[in-house]
Amino acid sequence: MSAAVVTPSVQVKRSGYARAVRAEWIKTSSLRSTWILVVLAVGSLVGFPVLVGPDWIDFAGGSGAESVDAVSLLWIGVDFALTLVAVLAALLATVEFTTGMARNTFTATPTRGAVLGAKATVGGLFALGVGLVGFVGAWVASLGTFGDAGVSIDLTDGATLRLVAVQLLALVVTAELAIALGVLLRSSVGAIFTIVAMQLILPGVLSLVNSDIARWVSAVLPVRATSAAALTEGPADGVIGLGPNAGVAVLVAWAVVPMLGALVSLRKRDV
């Protein structure tokens, strides 16, 4: 009588959202390009206020600058930082599609929504980290400038705190938008160009068009929505634009709506 052969069952454990986040973090943080972009983005946030500080002192001394004006100086390099954050997030979303590694990712984590959520989480954390470190670094580097101008930053001031929060939100939204566009277009170049066009090109072009439609389109672009959200008062009567709360809502929509589109695309398209 032959002995029965028992074959042990092997249970394959699929990764969920938490493991997907860990995997995305490891992949992103292990790339040299990630840290180069992070250093450049933080450097732009710290460096630009230092460069324009001497000229700002003349402005502050003559206009009675307040805390919110000082914080505005600290974010003067945010446009460049936004572009670098967009590049980082777009690469995070697209590099696996260009190299073919996406197949391995979706084999380990079949739930594509979990993968997209993990990319969004990691991209958002990097963007938030860049903003926080850059803001604190710019603040410390500009203490001498503020002292010469007789100005200090008061984070208990509502307008000051709102400006800081909105700029951090704008960095996170830019990262999420870049990730969504990267998934939709499967091209880092296409995603980056689209964001740069919306941030730097379209507002100027639309300002040349004498039309209410063009003004409304310009008003809901991310850069205009950010500006509106950072204010404490809405536009004057008869002026087309968003109020502060509407600006926040539109800014958040620029992250949520494209991300939903990316989720639908990711579920329907082959890798």
Side-chain angles (χ1 to χ4, degrees), residues 138-180:
W139 189 352
V140 172
S142 301
L143 287 176
T145 299
F146 296 151
D148 293 340
V151 179
S152 62
I153 293 179
D154 180 12
L155 289 180
T156 63
D157 175 63
T160 300
L161 188 60
R162 185 181 185 92
L163 177 57
V164 174
V166 167
Q167 293 294 358
L168 291 174
L169 176 62
L171 284 164
V172 174
V173 167
T174 298
E176 307 305 339
L177 177 58
I179 290 171

Side-chain angles (χ1 to χ4, degrees), residues 50-256:
V50 172
L51 290 175
V52 303
D55 294 330
W56 186 85
I57 293 176
D58 296 334
F59 157 77
S63 63
E66 299 178 352
S67 174
V68 69
D69 300 309
V71 171
S72 296
L73 170 67
L74 298 184
W75 291 109
I76 198 169
V78 71
D79 286 341
F80 192 66
L82 284 169
T83 302
L84 293 170
V85 165
V87 173
L88 171 60
L91 291 174
L92 187 158
T94 60
V95 66
E96 289 184 309
F97 293 111
T98 55
T99 60
M101 290 298 293
R103 294 183 180 86
N104 296 337
T105 297
F106 292 127
T107 299
T109 310
T111 306
R112 298 191 175 190
V115 174
L116 182 61
K119 290 181 181 295
T121 300
V122 172
L125 288 175
F126 268 104
L128 184 61
V130 164
L132 288 173
V133 174
F135 173 71
V136 173
W139 189 352
V140 172
S142 301
L143 287 176
T145 299
F146 296 151
D148 293 340
V151 179
S152 62
I153 293 179
D154 180 12
L155 289 180
T156 63
D157 175 63
T160 300
L161 188 60
R162 185 181 185 92
L163 177 57
V164 174
V166 167
Q167 293 294 358
L168 291 174
L169 176 62
L171 284 164
V172 174
V173 167
T174 298
E176 307 305 339
L177 177 58
I179 290 171
L181 289 174
V183 172
L184 288 168
L185 302 176
R186 304 287 175 95
S187 167
S188 56
V189 175
I192 295 166
F193 176 80
T194 301
I195 290 181
V196 169
M198 287 193 299
Q199 290 287 121
L200 304 177
I201 300 175
L202 272 180
V205 172
L206 291 172
S207 67
L208 301 176
V209 181
N210 186 19
S211 165
D212 286 349
I213 295 177
R215 294 187 185 95
W216 272 116
V217 172
S218 178
V220 298
L221 289 175
V223 63
R224 301 293 190 216
T226 300
S227 298
L231 300 175
T232 56
E233 297 180 356
D237 293 339
V239 177
I240 293 177
L242 301 174
N245 293 335
V248 172
V250 170
L251 192 57
V252 171
W254 275 108
V256 174

